[in-house]
Amino acid sequence: MKETLLEAYNFRHACKLFDHTKKITDEDFNFILETARLSPTSFGMEGVRLTVITNDDLKKELKPFCWNQNQIDSCSHLVVFKTKTKELKPYSEWTKAKFAERGLPQEAQDKYMEVYANFHKSLKSDDIYEWGTRQAYILFSSIITSAALLKIDSCPIEGFEKENLEKVLKINADEEEVSLVCAFGYREHEQPTKHRLPLEEICEYIK
Ligand SMILES: Cc1cc2nc3c(=O)[nH]c(=O)nc-3n(C[C@H](O)[C@H](O)[C@H](O)COP(=O)(O)O)c2cc1C
């Protein structure tokens, strides 16, 4: 298992160009999405939504707003991660329902909500979008790894024009906002050599 997982981590790279003739099967992509669904979110709020784009015309339409990167229209599946900003606000119907689903007495739910609200107030930037986006990155990390386990390539895309992307996708920015984009498919070229710092440089022990 360790070997398999390390192999996947070594296989994964930021794929700059996909073979557009190769498409990911529904079965494989559903497996990948399931690992997003099972990923953790802070307070269990599940405020991330994914739009999966396989339509080639739409990919072409989005490309100029993603720095014209070739991954956008050469990939098989383009995933847009969105944060449900409105629903994630403390005391929203959504957050109340999420605390209620734990089956705790009302008093405990109210206490949880208070902690949630105070947590948001205590953040350096009291910005639901920023916080929600962090949760989106957790799902993102899961799915690039599970894709790599299936020998499916990916490329994270932070290079995009958020407002323009939201306009093309007809996203109501009062309710949700784009956090991240990620392209999936099969590589056109061999992957380049990986450059990483040695473990001793990024990790210290306090024993
Ligand atoms: C959040 C995030 C956003 C990124 N955005 C882009 C992007 O817009 N375009 C791109 O070509 N690569 C993008 N990358 C890829 C990184 O440049 C790449 O992961 C890094 O150089 C390490 O290389 P490797 O992934 O091939 O090991 C992004 C990576 C991350 C994690």
Side-chain angles (χ1 to χ4, degrees):
M1 188 58 84
K2 287 181 199 160
E3 220 171 90
T4 307
L5 203 50
L6 270 187
E7 205 181 293
Y9 271 87
N10 277 304
F11 171 89
R12 192 217 56 79
H13 67 292
C15 180
K16 305 292 179 184
L17 185 67
F18 297 93
D19 177 345
H20 73 278
T21 64
K22 292 188 185 157
K23 303 293 177 197
I24 304 168
T25 64
D26 287 348
E27 192 197 342
D28 282 353
F29 212 71
N30 285 336
F31 164 82
I32 291 168
L33 293 176
E34 182 65 358
T35 65
R37 192 178 74 87
L38 294 172
S39 297
T41 51
S42 184
F43 284 91
M45 276 303 158
E46 297 188 274
V48 185
R49 295 293 175 273
L50 309 178
T51 299
V52 182
I53 300 165
T54 54
N55 181 292
D56 286 337
D57 293 336
L58 183 55
K59 288 179 207 161
K60 282 196 173 58
E61 202 182 333
L62 293 172
K63 186 176 175 179
F65 304 123
C66 297
W67 299 1
N68 269 316
Q69 299 188 69
N70 292 323
Q71 301 91 322
I72 304 297
D73 58 343
S74 65
C75 73
S76 165
H77 288 53
L78 188 68
V79 179
V80 178
F81 294 75
K82 298 169 300 177
T83 295
K84 301 285 284 180
T85 43
K86 191 176 173 194
E87 290 182 342
L88 287 172
K89 292 203 172 90
Y91 301 101
S92 71
E93 289 310 310
W94 176 264
T95 54
K96 280 183 200 160
K98 292 305 284 176
F99 284 128
E101 78 184 7
R102 300 174 191 200
L104 298 168
Q106 190 59 49
E107 203 181 315
Q109 290 177 38
D110 293 346
K111 187 76 210 155
Y112 260 122
M113 187 63 86
E114 203 184 313
V115 171
Y116 183 67
N118 285 336
F119 167 74
H120 279 289
K121 268 191 224 141
S122 77
L123 291 178
K124 248 195 218 151
S125 112
D126 176 17
D127 182 339
I128 292 281
Y129 168 71
E130 286 298 329
W131 178 74
T133 294
R134 281 187 238 154
Q135 318 310 315
Y137 276 69
I138 297 170
L139 275 67
F140 150 76
S141 177
S142 291
I143 68 175
I144 58 172
T145 303
S146 51
L149 278 165
L150 302 184
K151 297 272 183 280
I152 291 171
D153 292 299
S154 61
C155 188
I157 306 281
E158 231 171 14
F160 59 83
E161 297 170 17
K162 181 175 168 292
E163 276 78 22
N164 283 326
L165 220 58
E166 288 167 352
K167 212 179 284 171
V168 175
L169 294 172
K170 299 186 176 60
I171 289 170
N172 179 355
D174 290 334
E175 299 200 350
E176 54 183 14
E177 295 180 47
V178 172
S179 291
L180 176 69
V181 177
C182 192
F184 294 88
Y186 295 94
R187 66 188 69 179
E188 178 74 54
H189 304 301
E190 280 310 300
Q191 73 189 93
T193 311
K194 226 181 233 316
H195 297 283
R196 289 293 188 273
L197 296 169
L199 193 54
E200 309 80 74
E201 209 164 315
I202 64 162
C203 176
E204 65 169 359
Y205 285 92
I206 300 177
K207 290 186 175 168

